Amino acid sequence: MPTFFERRQLVTPGDLLAEGDYVAGENTYKEDSRVYATRIGLVDYEDKKVSVVALRAFYIPRVGDTVIGTVVEVGFSGWTVDINSPYLALLKASDVLSRPFKPQKNDLTEVLDVGDLVVAKIVSYDRTHNPQLSVNEPGLGKITRGQIVRVTPTKIPRVIGKKGSMISMIKQETECHIILGHNGVILITGKSIEDEELAMMAIHKIEEESHTTGLTDRISQLIKKEKEKGR
Amino acid sequence: MSQKTEKLIDKKGLRLDGRKSDELRPIKIEVGALSNADGSAYIEQGKNKILAAVYGPRELHPKHMALPDRMVLRCRYHMAPFSVQERKSPAPSRREIELSKVIREAVEPAIFVEYYPRTAIDVFVEVLQADGSTRCTSITAASLALADAGIPMRDLVVACSAGKIEDMIVLDLMDIEDKVGSADVPVAFMPNLGVITLLQMDGILTHEEFEKAVNLAIEGCKKIYTLQKEALRAKYVSVKEVEE
């Protein structure tokens, strides 16, 4: 039962990764007893599971994910939200207003208009229906201030770090409040623009060097250095 | 042809551009040439210069065209007015519409079309300079652009042509060889799976000649495949270098 690559080696679609009694993980597929890659990325062998960490991918909604989206359309009973995915998400008016909603009385554009950004949670999604959003939780809803950073959705786990080590470090160092959308959109709100810019720079740096080791320490040092300069 | 055909193969068995019968034209591939597209590739094969761009998967408009169980692959093959000697009208010709379909059907088997239902992928292939076998070069570029866009694929699709000129089976026909020669066999192939996704023949070949042409084209495909993979890797090579 051979494997054909080293761990963390770069593979392209169609590369034969393993043969025999293996389980096909993310971004791979199994045909007969052979496991192939479906995306360009880095291979990972874990016991019997073969997977590829994709370098290029798009966001596919998952129930429970927090996402940050842009309102693109206001309808009769809700909004259509672009969540940086192949599928547009729906946000119901009754969900946002949290009281009985009467189309004759309420003007939806007063609550959310085209171009507004919202933090929301995905409450339902499957192959046959577009994702549905909810803002019925503390911390969710319309974004009124802060900065937006967009990264490749596959890099979000790296921004979070092991058990949130990376993100909590950035939060602590920059004193910013950061909301990570699983769809690759990140909202940063800080006390001053300088703080926000510091956090933005750190996140861009993570995106560029996401595949290197010891990144958390280096980012931490970088922020400290920049802070010194600012003073 | 204005004057009676020039010799396509000289006494030494070399072709007009000095190639041997089983030799490919020089190939240069660049992945990610366009920044606005989700995925893109630029390829030069001899005098062929082709740009491919991929958008998607995205919401399909008009919506009634969306399929409930799979994504729709849309493909546009277009030749620039300046791509050939005589100005080509920029309006899609009958030939371009057909080639769009041919390219779509050649790359579709490689894509996991059932993964993202109700969406569409748009592939745009723009021929900047044409010199024979553009459908093959286009397929090679299109599949690279798809991989660059992060679309899950079974394998990269490579295409290469073979044909018959002056009673000889040769690889990778260029424009004059295609026009003056007696047969042209374009083949698209998925090398890791050993699957042919496109096979056409224009002209007349005997059974043996046909088999020889197909095998030769597949050999050519395998050679291009290594270049294709190299090009795709090159875009991410910085990633590879800094690995522990």
Side-chain angles (χ1 to χ4, degrees):
Chain A
M1 294 190 289
T3 54
F4 298 96
F5 287 91
E6 297 279 310
R7 259 193 94 218
R8 316 262 304 147
Q9 211 179 344
L10 189 67
V11 291
T12 53
D15 277 346
L16 181 60
L17 303 177
E19 198 168 356
D21 193 18
Y22 286 94
V23 180
E26 253 174 66
N27 302 317
T28 63
Y29 73 102
K30 197 171 178 183
E31 206 163 275
D32 300 327
S33 62
R34 289 187 287 274
V35 181
Y36 298 94
T38 65
R39 280 198 170 111
I40 180 154
L42 308 170
V43 241
D44 200 3
Y45 297 100
E46 219 177 287
D47 294 328
K48 290 274 140 212
K49 196 173 137 203
V50 186
S51 55
V52 172
V53 181
L55 290 174
R56 273 302 277 270
F58 34 84
Y59 174 66
I60 292 300
R62 270 206 349 238
V63 174
D65 277 2
T66 308
V67 294
I68 298 172
T70 318
V71 176
V72 287
E73 203 181 310
V74 185
F76 290 111
S77 58
W79 299 266
T80 311
V81 183
D82 176 9
I83 53 166
N84 196 22
S85 139
Y87 303 101
L88 289 173
L90 304 167
L91 180 59
K92 276 192 185 161
S94 54
D95 186 278
V96 179
L97 295 169
S98 66
R99 60 186 142 84
F101 156 70
K102 294 200 183 76
Q104 309 93 309
K105 272 190 188 163
N106 309 93
D107 184 7
L108 289 187
T109 53
E110 278 173 15
V111 186
L112 283 171
D113 206 350
V114 172
D116 283 351
L117 291 161
V118 280
V119 186
K121 218 164 208 148
I122 295 174
V123 283
S124 80
Y125 163 72
D126 64 40
R127 283 169 62 89
T128 52
H129 295 98
N130 276 3
Q132 208 176 75
L133 301 177
S134 166
V135 292
N136 261 336
E137 247 175 75
L140 304 184
K142 184 174 168 179
I143 296 170
T144 46
R145 57 188 223 92
Q147 312 264 348
I148 288 288
V149 188
R150 288 173 193 275
V151 299
T152 322
T154 48
K155 302 262 166 85
I156 287 292
R158 192 67 200 86
V159 179
I160 296 170
K162 275 200 192 86
K163 286 183 188 149
S165 60
M166 179 72 88
I167 192 69
S168 54
M169 183 275 290
I170 298 176
K171 278 179 182 170
Q172 208 176 21
E173 289 293 332
T174 62
E175 291 167 33
C176 283
H177 185 65
I178 301 173
I179 297 175
L180 294 169
H182 286 95
N183 58 340
V185 187
I186 300 169
L187 171 71
I188 302 168
T189 39
K191 286 196 195 91
S192 65
I193 293 180
E194 286 77 33
D195 286 347
E196 286 172 357
E197 274 173 358
L198 206 59
M200 281 169 80
M201 180 217 52
I203 287 164
H204 281 305
K205 193 87 182 160
I206 298 167
E207 192 187 13
E208 276 166 33
E209 301 179 12
S210 59
H211 38 76
T212 54
T213 48
L215 189 59
T216 311
D217 294 337
R218 265 187 296 134
I219 295 292
S220 157
Q221 276 163 13
L222 185 77
I223 294 174
K224 277 182 188 138
K225 215 168 82 190
E226 289 292 320
K227 260 165 125 180
E228 291 290 310
K229 245 192 268 172
R231 261 176 218 140
Chain B
M1 292 304 102
S2 45
Q3 69 272 58
K4 182 66 188 117
T5 53
E6 342 144 40
K7 289 293 271 176
L8 288 176
I9 296 175
D10 68 10
K11 283 166 224 132
K12 280 185 235 152
L14 294 179
R15 296 200 252 164
L16 284 179
D17 55 356
R19 279 187 293 156
K20 290 195 236 55
S21 68
D22 61 346
E23 202 177 329
L24 289 165
R25 288 176 282 185
I27 296 174
K28 202 188 104 189
I29 309 176
E30 189 192 332
V31 174
L34 304 171
S35 53
N36 276 2
D38 293 320
S40 59
Y42 172 71
I43 183 166
E44 282 180 20
Q45 184 165 2
K47 283 186 209 151
N48 277 335
K49 293 187 180 180
I50 294 173
L51 201 51
V54 169
Y55 290 84
R58 58 184 177 185
E59 286 262 317
L60 179 57
H61 290 288
K63 258 192 171 149
H64 66 84
M65 277 170 69
L67 298 174
D69 60 337
R70 60 199 290 279
M71 53 187 170
V72 173
L73 181 65
R74 292 185 294 194
C75 191
R76 190 185 94 129
Y77 167 96
H78 181 249
M79 284 173 88
F82 50 81
S83 62
V84 275
Q85 276 291 320
E86 190 111 350
R87 177 181 184 272
K88 193 212 142 282
S89 157
S93 62
R94 191 199 61 77
R95 189 186 95 95
E96 282 169 294
I97 295 165
E98 183 191 320
L99 283 188
S100 302
K101 175 181 179 287
V102 162
I103 293 167
R104 189 187 74 226
E105 288 178 356
V107 294
E108 201 164 9
I111 301 172
F112 286 95
V113 137
E114 63 282 5
Y115 276 19
Y116 309 113
R118 299 176 290 118
T119 60
I121 302 175
D122 290 296
V123 180
F124 299 96
V125 175
E126 195 69 28
V127 179
L128 304 177
Q129 187 168 280
D131 188 40
S133 304
T134 52
R135 78 190 64 190
C136 295
T137 318
S138 300
I139 291 167
T140 309
S143 84
L144 268 179
L146 284 163
D148 182 41
I151 289 158
M153 292 166 85
R154 281 172 240 272
D155 198 355
L156 295 171
V157 185
V158 215
C160 187
S161 67
K164 184 181 163 190
I165 50 172
E166 291 174 11
D167 294 322
M168 213 162 127
I169 302 294
V170 296
L171 183 66
D172 194 8
L173 299 180
M174 49 184 189
D175 198 37
I176 329 161
E177 294 176 329
D178 186 20
K179 283 186 177 130
V180 182
S182 44
D184 172 24
V185 183
V187 177
F189 187 62
M190 292 197 279
N192 271 332
L193 307 178
V195 176
I196 290 177
T197 63
L198 164 76
L199 181 58
Q200 292 182 309
M201 181 166 81
D202 178 16
I204 297 166
L205 290 177
T206 65
H207 200 281
E208 291 74 40
E209 283 171 336
F210 174 71
E211 233 163 63
K212 204 176 156 195
V214 171
N215 288 331
L216 191 61
I218 288 178
E219 282 312 306
C221 284
K222 285 177 181 165
K223 278 181 209 156
I224 300 174
Y225 184 60
T226 49
L227 298 172
Q228 213 182 9
K229 263 167 84 168
E230 230 169 72
L232 191 55
R233 283 213 163 99
K235 190 184 165 186
Y236 299 96
V237 86
S238 56
V239 177
K240 207 178 160 192
E241 274 169 2
V242 284
E243 276 326 308
E244 1 11 348

